């Protein structure tokens, strides 16, 4: 087993819901330069995964795991390596029928101040989730990961560090080191077993504000023009 540098929550320009300036292949190239071994592109309610992208990543020493950030019952849920065509968006409880040994269901940014955060839905459906996300988007004083850390400890759930990147400056601020073989099933089993070390650092306040202002500008203003 080796420690695999991993990010399982990233968005690219193929995302139909956000205005993002780098493509899936550009992301893979950047990840390769930074020494990543495992990635999952998790665009909103669509799967950005193909044999071409899988092979493109493999040629650069990266395992690409199929992923999606699905909006289910109005809340975001991270899904990896499952039958995405069977995902129904009306009830989170329906995910129970899709759970398998070789797939992964993660609670992303569950307590962040957003209408799409799981919040109380996480506790209500805790048995459906394999892990909880530690998101990059925090400062030393302002950190909505704290209740997620507490929840994960209470329920003995592993945590994974991700960038949830929508901009280049977000990528590589938080990631995971996973003790696994370089293949999707091994990585997923390692996450479920808690063989994960989170590498993270709080953002300077100015950078956090810059990220959020850019997201507001691109997704709210540019889309209207």
């Amino acid at each position: 087993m080796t420690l695999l540098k991993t990010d399982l929550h990233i968005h690219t320009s193929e995302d139909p819901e956000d205005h993002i300036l780098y493509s899936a292949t550009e992301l893979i190239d950047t990840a390769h330069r930074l020494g990543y071994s495992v990635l999952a592109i998790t665009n909103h309610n669509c799967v950005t995964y193909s044999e071409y992208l899988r092979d493109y990543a493999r040629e650069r020493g990266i395992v690409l795991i199929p992923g999606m950030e699905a909006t289910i019952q109005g809340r975001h849920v991270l899904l990896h390596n499952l039958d995405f065509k069977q995902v129904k968006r009306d009830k989170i409880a329906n995910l129970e029928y899709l759970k398998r040994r070789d797939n992964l269901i993660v609670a992303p940014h569950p307590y962040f101040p957003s209408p799409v955060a799981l919040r109380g839905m996480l506790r209500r459906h805790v048995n459906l989730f394999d892990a909880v996300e530690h998101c990059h988007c925090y400062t030393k004083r302002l950190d909505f990961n704290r209740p997620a850390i507490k929840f994960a400890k209470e329920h003995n759930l592993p945590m994974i560090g991700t960038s949830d990147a929508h901009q280049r400056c977000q990528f590589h601020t938080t990631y995971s080191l996973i003790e696994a073989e370089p293949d999707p099933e091994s990585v997923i089993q390692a996450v479920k077993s808690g063989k994960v070390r989170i590498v993270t650092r709080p953002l300077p306040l100015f950078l956090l504000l810059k990220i959020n202002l850019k997201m507001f500008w691109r997704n709210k203003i540019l889309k209207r023009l």
Side-chain angles (χ1 to χ4, degrees):
M1 296 289 182
T2 56
L3 287 176
L4 305 177
K5 193 172 185 179
T6 302
D7 194 336
L8 297 178
H9 186 182
I10 320 165
H11 300 268
T12 64
S13 60
E14 291 82 2
D15 195 311
E17 298 185 22
D18 283 327
H19 188 81
I20 297 171
L21 300 182
Y22 55 87
S23 67
T25 53
E26 289 173 321
L27 168 71
I28 292 167
D29 288 340
T30 298
H32 171 62
R33 289 195 297 271
L34 293 170
Y36 280 80
S37 299
V38 182
L39 295 176
I41 298 170
T42 52
N43 287 327
H44 293 103
N45 300 307
C46 75
V47 181
T48 305
Y49 180 88
S50 64
E51 289 185 4
Y52 171 78
L53 283 176
R54 180 200 64 195
D55 293 345
Y56 189 90
R58 183 184 294 161
E59 289 168 2
R60 288 152 182 81
I62 294 173
V63 175
L64 189 64
I65 298 177
M68 174 198 291
E69 185 168 31
T71 306
I72 304 175
Q73 212 170 332
R75 310 301 174 97
H76 282 178
V77 180
L78 275 180
L79 307 173
H80 298 94
N81 205 43
L82 51 69
D83 187 353
F84 299 101
K85 292 180 181 178
Q86 299 300 317
V87 175
K88 297 179 180 179
R89 296 175 57 185
D90 56 338
K91 291 183 180 180
I92 291 175
N94 289 333
L95 291 173
E96 180 180 357
Y97 304 105
L98 300 179
K99 283 181 68 67
R100 296 196 315 266
R101 185 177 182 276
D102 62 346
N103 61 32
L104 192 65
I105 300 176
V106 179
H109 45 70
Y111 293 103
F112 276 60
S114 167
V116 295
L118 283 160
R119 305 186 73 81
M121 300 285 279
L122 175 56
R123 188 173 298 275
R124 195 177 309 167
H125 300 289
V126 60
N127 292 332
L128 294 177
F129 290 91
D130 301 304
V132 178
E133 177 186 71
H134 187 293
C135 186
H136 85 287
C137 199
Y138 71 100
T139 69
K140 287 183 179 179
R141 294 189 177 184
L142 184 65
D143 187 359
F144 294 104
N145 289 305
R146 288 172 187 151
I149 294 169
K150 181 180 178 182
F151 182 90
K153 287 180 179 178
E154 286 175 356
H155 294 274
N156 198 30
L157 283 172
M159 296 197 77
I160 60 169
T162 78
S163 68
D164 187 10
H166 293 66
Q167 302 167 38
R168 287 184 176 90
C169 64
Q170 293 173 283
F171 188 59
H172 198 51
T173 54
T174 294
Y175 56 90
S176 296
L177 295 175
I178 299 178
E179 185 181 350
E181 298 295 340
D183 67 76
E185 186 169 348
S186 180
V187 170
I188 287 169
Q189 288 305 309
V191 170
K192 291 181 177 182
S193 301
K195 297 177 181 179
V196 181
R197 192 172 89 206
I198 296 173
V199 180
T200 187
R201 62 183 185 274
L203 301 180
L205 181 59
F206 80 88
L207 181 55
L208 181 65
L209 293 173
K210 179 181 176 182
I211 287 169
N212 282 279
L213 284 171
K214 276 189 175 182
M215 287 184 68
F216 177 80
W217 170 256
R218 292 174 182 175
N219 296 331
K220 301 297 183 182
I221 307 300
L222 289 181
K223 283 187 175 182
R224 294 178 182 175
L225 297 179

